[in-house]
Amino acid sequence: MTQPLDPEMFDPVCPSGLMPIRIGDKWAGMIIQCLEEGPRRFSELLVPLRTITPKVLTKSLRALERDGFVVRTVHAGPARHVDYGLTPLGRSLLGLLDAARAWAETHMDELIDARENQ
């Protein structure tokens, strides 16, 4: 069993819109990070991604599934539920996302200055 996701996993004031390196849509990288420790239910993903709407989360998960990064698994039985997990291809993005995040943290002031000067 995986540990619950930290509701504070993503800094609410983080200017993620400034990130010039993006996989998929605005939320894809954060969804992939949420799935790093194992499969999660839709409702679990909403905890740290508290500003995403269910409609947008559904759209992002479908796109990640279409691209082969995420697998959707339906568990049958009396307590039927669905969870989402990373495929090997999705897992291969984790190192890239870590590198992109480190780069953005190093250059955040420059990114903010460049956007403000436009």
Side-chain angles (χ1 to χ4, degrees):
M1 181 80 182
T2 55
Q3 294 293 319
L5 289 170
D6 179 2
E8 302 301 320
M9 184 174 180
F10 302 108
D11 185 346
V13 296
C14 175
S16 60
L18 292 175
M19 182 62 136
I21 302 163
R22 194 174 285 172
I23 294 165
D25 60 29
K26 170 184 175 178
W27 299 99
M30 289 183 272
I31 292 169
I32 289 168
Q33 270 187 270
C34 288
L35 298 174
E36 182 174 8
E37 298 300 319
R40 300 287 181 172
R41 291 183 180 193
F42 188 90
S43 59
E44 289 181 276
L45 295 172
L46 288 171
V47 174
L49 302 172
R50 59 191 166 278
T51 60
I52 195 172
T53 65
K55 180 180 178 179
V56 172
L57 179 55
T58 298
K59 183 179 175 183
S60 295
L61 285 166
R62 286 181 181 160
L64 288 166
E65 184 179 11
R66 179 199 64 226
D67 293 340
F69 300 130
V70 168
V71 62
R72 179 179 184 269
T73 305
V74 178
H75 300 274
R80 181 183 180 272
H81 70 275
V82 175
D83 61 34
Y84 300 88
L86 292 177
T87 64
L89 183 62
R91 192 157 290 286
S92 73
L93 292 172
L94 291 170
L96 175 63
L97 290 171
D98 287 342
R101 186 173 46 251
W103 179 89
E105 288 171 359
T106 300
H107 298 285
M108 189 58 63
D109 290 338
E110 296 166 81
L111 290 167
I112 292 170
D113 288 346
R115 295 273 171 105
E116 288 176 350
N117 290 328
Q118 287 297 317

